[in-house]
Amino acid sequence: MNDINSIAVGFDGSDESELALRWAAHLAREVDANLTVLHAAGILERLGAPFSHEVTPQVVAAIMAEEGLDATRYHWVVEEGDACSALLHCAQAPHHAQLLVVGSRGHGKRPGMMIGSVSLELVQHASVPVVVVPGC
Amino acid sequence: MVLVVNELTDDSEHESPDHPERPGRVEAAMAAVQELHLGSDLIVAPAYSATRSELTRVHDAGYLDELGAFCYGGGGDIDQDTYATFDSWSIATRAAGAGLSVVRELQRRGEGVGFVASRPPGHHALRDRAMGFCLLNNVAVSAAALVSQGERVAIIDWDVHHGNGTQQIFWDEPHVLYVSMHQWPLFPGSGAAGEVGGRLALGSVVNVPLPAGATGDVMRRALDDVVAPVVDAFDPTWVLVSAGFDAHHLDPMADLCLSDGDFAQMSLAVSHYATAPGRLAFFLEGGYDLGALQASVRATLSSALGAPHDGEPPTNGGPGGAQLATITAQRDAALASWTQIFDEEDSR
Ligand SMILES: [Zn+2]
């Protein structure tokens, strides 16, 4: 198996996605990989709270600093669209992520249902391995 | 000229706290219809729920099963934008059926203009996924029904967002021309000018991405100079409009600067695309400022019915005109390959 040198993680500002972000940052540091921190911006994003969490480069930078991942090893990407499609794009050029990381619940609330679960949709469609980080 | 609208049914249970895609939207649209004072020229097509076989023309059976089960399990958030409730399945199948019913009534009469005021909207709904407030792709369900009857359908989508679902569903369908004019970049991210349709239907998708701040003059030029020649070449037997009104300057969802007077002019332009009476229908998509929505629906319908518009004047002077030349070049390239496909089919 090839070394993993590029990882992508979805981050929407939720507690679940923060766990995934920390897990991915830790792994990136351990295996010396680059990390793409992806935020999928939905339609409601521009209306702000209560529809979206505060997701800014500063929030991400603070978490990365806590996890000890150097600023040169990660980059922050905002893509318009849904989280599943946006993460799938990360496995293609220019990011070529070899591993996709998401939180387990995302926005869905129904265990076992594809609908409402970014992680299940991702697992079904991804061409690269997917890590689903369990929530708290 | 008569206006055919769908019979209103209760959609009050498809809602989520503070969500902009709310029941008041259809009320605003229908208030605009009432303002037209059409009397006996207002025809109401009966309420109808799209059947499974009508839905599977455009949606995967597995997705329909999951969506139904999700709703009847109590619903919840499908993604960061999109919700469903216990009642959403029946409300969404009625929304898709409303289009079928209006189209059927237009066919029966052979005259008039259709307006489908139903929600949730449809144009972001993919073959196998809900997205962007949309559960079932209403306009696609009607277009596919018409295609199954041998019709050639042009879908003109002037919602401020790209209709990624409709584009995906008809990507390789040569009997549907899908045209979208939208702010770009913006949710859902797709809709670049280079997206012109799949290998089996090259040129059957036309995207006109416009920068933030674009005004009605650019929209009108796009309709006249970029879209009209493609529609002419396609020669549709039906024209369905994905009529979102979130490109209005008061709408909170985006940054285009259209007035209701612009919608009147755009409506006039697309009315000319329909080659025979009774073959034009507007489907409500987005539009989240209720006042702007009401004024824009009124402008659109009065213009399509041949009445003068008395609201805001059309707008001019925004950016985006320069991009139209590039889009036209891409359209010409697509048309060339498209013509080639038809020539090859003819020679067979
Ligand atoms: Zn829209």
Side-chain angles (χ1 to χ4, degrees):
Chain A
M1 197 189 110
N2 295 332
D3 289 344
I4 293 175
N5 48 40
S6 176
I7 300 169
V9 58
F11 180 62
D12 65 6
S14 66
D15 292 346
E16 291 82 14
S17 74
E18 185 178 327
L19 284 177
L21 178 60
R22 290 184 185 276
W23 191 91
H26 183 80
L27 179 68
R29 205 186 60 202
E30 290 292 308
V31 303
D32 199 22
N34 288 316
L35 182 65
T36 299
V37 181
L38 172 90
H39 175 57
I43 297 193
L44 292 177
E45 183 95 2
R46 58 188 289 131
L47 299 184
F51 300 107
S52 56
H53 301 278
E54 192 193 0
V55 185
T56 62
Q58 291 76 15
V59 169
V60 174
I63 295 170
M64 293 293 106
E66 283 174 32
E67 295 300 325
L69 193 68
D70 192 85
T72 58
R73 300 316 303 263
Y74 78 88
H75 63 283
W76 162 242
V77 176
V78 178
E79 195 169 318
E80 305 270 5
D82 68 295
C84 184
S85 306
L87 270 164
L88 291 174
H89 290 162
C90 286
Q92 301 162 1
H95 307 299
H96 297 294
Q98 295 150 297
L99 185 72
L100 305 177
V101 181
V102 281
S104 66
R105 289 204 304 164
H107 297 273
K109 294 182 173 70
R110 197 74 50 74
M113 299 250 3
M114 191 79 93
I115 285 187
S117 169
V118 172
S119 51
L120 279 179
E121 288 234 9
L122 200 58
V123 165
Q124 213 200 21
H125 293 103
S127 57
V128 299
V130 175
V131 170
V132 182
V133 178
C136 25
Chain B
M1 203 182 323
V2 300
L3 178 69
V4 177
V5 298
N6 53 298
E7 180 185 336
L8 284 195
T9 54
D10 183 9
D11 64 3
S12 62
E13 297 299 322
H14 178 74
E15 65 160 356
S16 180
D18 299 323
H19 200 289
E21 205 297 281
R22 59 202 190 278
R25 297 181 58 247
V26 164
E27 289 164 23
M30 292 313 289
V33 171
Q34 295 306 325
E35 284 174 351
L36 298 173
H37 303 295
L38 294 172
S40 60
D41 282 345
L42 179 64
I43 309 297
V44 179
Y48 175 75
S49 296
T51 63
R52 186 173 174 86
S53 59
E54 286 161 341
L55 295 173
T56 50
R57 290 195 186 108
V58 303
H59 290 295
D60 289 351
Y63 166 65
L64 297 173
D65 292 343
E66 276 259 337
L67 180 63
F70 184 80
C71 294
Y72 287 121
D77 291 339
I78 293 177
D79 61 25
Q80 67 262 52
D81 298 318
T82 315
Y83 67 90
T85 65
F86 181 88
D87 293 294
S88 293
W89 174 258
S90 63
I91 292 168
T93 53
R94 283 203 302 268
L100 294 167
S101 183
V102 165
V103 163
R104 217 171 283 146
E105 184 62 26
L106 288 170
Q107 286 176 317
R108 206 174 65 77
R109 296 179 163 268
E111 61 148 353
V113 170
F115 178 50
V116 183
S118 66
R119 58 179 287 278
H123 74 151
H124 295 304
L126 299 155
R127 206 166 255 290
D128 65 347
R129 197 180 323 154
M131 189 175 165
F133 311 166
C134 303
L135 303 179
L136 301 174
N137 197 315
N138 307 324
V139 77
V141 168
S142 282
L146 287 167
V147 169
S148 77
Q149 297 164 26
E151 305 286 357
R152 300 164 54 75
V153 183
I155 301 174
I156 312 297
D157 186 335
W158 71 42
D159 187 279
V160 80
H161 303 99
H162 178 238
N164 59 310
T166 313
Q167 172 170 300
Q168 181 220 41
I169 287 166
F170 296 121
W171 186 246
D172 268 315
E173 172 54 74
H175 302 96
V176 175
L177 172 68
Y178 176 68
V179 177
S180 179
M181 299 179 300
H182 47 268
Q183 182 179 332
W184 194 83
L186 185 69
F187 180 92
S190 52
E195 296 168 25
V196 294
R199 203 176 55 82
L200 303 177
L202 273 179
S204 71
V205 168
V206 178
N207 280 300
V208 183
L210 298 168
T215 41
D217 50 341
V218 179
M219 279 283 199
R220 293 192 298 277
R221 267 183 58 202
L223 283 170
D224 291 344
D225 301 348
V226 182
V227 180
V230 186
V231 173
D232 262 358
F234 178 75
D235 194 21
T237 56
W238 274 82
V239 176
L240 307 183
V241 182
S242 259
F245 298 96
D246 39 10
H248 193 280
H249 63 94
L250 291 176
D251 198 280
M253 294 295 186
D255 317 292
L256 293 195
C257 298
L258 305 193
S259 64
D260 45 74
D262 292 317
F263 285 107
Q265 295 209 337
M266 287 152 60
S267 174
L268 199 60
V270 299
S271 300
H272 292 143
Y273 296 166
T275 47
R279 287 164 175 269
L280 169 69
F282 296 86
F283 286 65
L284 179 64
E285 299 283 2
Y288 304 96
D289 179 283
L290 298 186
L293 175 61
Q294 185 170 334
S296 303
V297 168
R298 180 180 169 178
T300 298
L301 296 180
S302 63
S303 190
L305 293 168
H309 167 69
D310 56 5
E312 294 175 316
T315 59
N316 295 288
Q323 279 101 314
L324 291 183
T326 316
I327 295 165
T328 303
Q330 269 162 317
R331 178 210 69 195
D332 288 345
L335 266 185
S337 52
W338 189 23
T339 311
Q340 194 186 338
I341 288 170
F342 278 101
D343 289 349
E344 281 167 13
E345 269 185 7
D346 286 348
S347 63
R348 256 183 241 142

